[in-house]
Amino acid sequence: MVKVYEINGVTPVVDPSAYVHPSAVLIGDVIVGPRCYVGPLAALRGDFGRLILEEGANLQDTCVMHGYPGADTVVERDGHIGHGAVLHGCRIGRNALVGMNSVIMDNAVIGADSIVAAMTFVRAGMEVPARSLVVGTPAKVVRELRDDEIQWKTAGTGQYQELAVRSMQTMREVDALTEVEADRKRIEWESSLPLHLHKNASA
């Protein structure tokens, strides 16, 4: 069972079509919309401000969402939050991607269709235009994204939307095997290249 906690009389809301891993923690004013995916060990602490995952968004393993009192922390529709990222009192625009271990601070706004590179620190109040590639500590907008890069991001988010369905249908807790089967099958999944390889392949 997902760890869900009411605080001050406010209970998290999870749409029936969303998948939240049983090890994730949801506290208080949390709203998880349709077709969302919330990964293992993610923490959504709605004990100060409201946290919202809009339709089709994903928040991957060990991510943290939190905000200050009275503020909303929002991942808009089809937003994609990579492993270990921290979102605090910010807004992630529609179809934007936040890379692994990035930190997005209070009142920052990431524009629609943007990509924030892994391990980027976006300072409080920074506003990133739509279709931007954002890199560094502190973050800088380095260029506008190409159409094929946005298509790559959109396809990756689609895989997480499919993963939400597959997880609800097939994931179950079991005991580990003690040895590898001779005919061990692989998980069948449409392959996708990392962005740096995708760019080289499309050049």
Side-chain angles (χ1 to χ4, degrees), residues 15-79:
D15 187 273
S17 65
Y19 175 78
V20 180
H21 189 273
S23 66
V25 177
L26 281 60
I27 300 171
D29 198 359
V30 175
I31 301 170
V32 178
R35 301 170 54 240
C36 288
Y37 173 89
V38 177
L41 303 174
L44 294 87
R45 276 186 50 211
D47 47 13
F48 288 166
R50 178 169 293 174
L51 312 179
I52 301 170
L53 294 178
E54 294 185 356
E55 182 173 356
N58 68 75
L59 187 80
Q60 298 171 21
D61 19 327
T62 74
C63 287
V64 174
M65 283 185 77
H66 194 237
Y68 54 88
D72 291 354
T73 305
V74 180
V75 180
E76 294 183 8
R77 185 174 180 139
D78 298 332

Side-chain angles (χ1 to χ4, degrees), residues 162-193:
E162 292 178 37
L163 179 60
V165 174
R166 186 159 55 100
S167 295
M168 285 188 286
Q169 292 177 346
T170 71
M171 189 179 293
R172 60 192 179 96
E173 188 171 0
V174 296
D175 294 324
L177 302 176
T178 57
E179 59 184 41
V180 178
E181 314 97 299
D183 58 348
R184 184 176 179 84
K185 70 176 189 178
R186 292 183 177 269
I187 292 177
E188 296 180 8
W189 198 249
E190 183 180 346
S191 63
S192 61
L193 295 172

Side-chain angles (χ1 to χ4, degrees), residues 14 43-44 49 54 80 85 94-95 98 102 120 134 136 138 156 192 196 202-203:
V14 178
L44 294 87
E54 294 185 356
H80 188 112
R94 183 170 181 155
N95 201 44
V98 173
S102 293
T120 294
V134 185
S192 61
H196 73 284
S202 64

Side-chain angles (χ1 to χ4, degrees), residues 62-185:
T62 74
C63 287
V64 174
M65 283 185 77
H66 194 237
Y68 54 88
D72 291 354
T73 305
V74 180
V75 180
E76 294 183 8
R77 185 174 180 139
D78 298 332
H80 188 112
I81 312 302
H83 318 291
V86 176
L87 307 181
H88 201 278
C90 58
R91 176 173 287 269
I92 310 302
R94 183 170 181 155
N95 201 44
L97 180 151
V98 173
M100 295 179 278
N101 288 314
S102 293
V103 176
I104 317 295
M105 292 297 294
D106 300 310
N107 295 318
V109 177
I110 307 301
D113 298 315
S114 291
I115 294 177
V116 177
M119 300 186 70
T120 294
F121 177 78
V122 177
R123 67 186 184 276
M126 182 174 183
E127 295 192 13
V128 173
R131 297 178 60 98
S132 295
L133 176 62
V134 185
V135 177
T137 302
K140 294 181 181 178
V141 175
V142 295
R143 63 175 173 83
E144 184 174 323
L145 289 170
R146 303 187 310 265
D147 289 345
D148 67 296
E149 292 171 319
I150 296 172
Q151 291 166 2
W152 170 88
K153 183 271 160 202
T154 301
T157 300
Q159 289 187 322
Y160 269 90
Q161 292 163 350
E162 292 178 37
L163 179 60
V165 174
R166 186 159 55 100
S167 295
M168 285 188 286
Q169 292 177 346
T170 71
M171 189 179 293
R172 60 192 179 96
E173 188 171 0
V174 296
D175 294 324
L177 302 176
T178 57
E179 59 184 41
V180 178
E181 314 97 299
D183 58 348
R184 184 176 179 84
K185 70 176 189 178

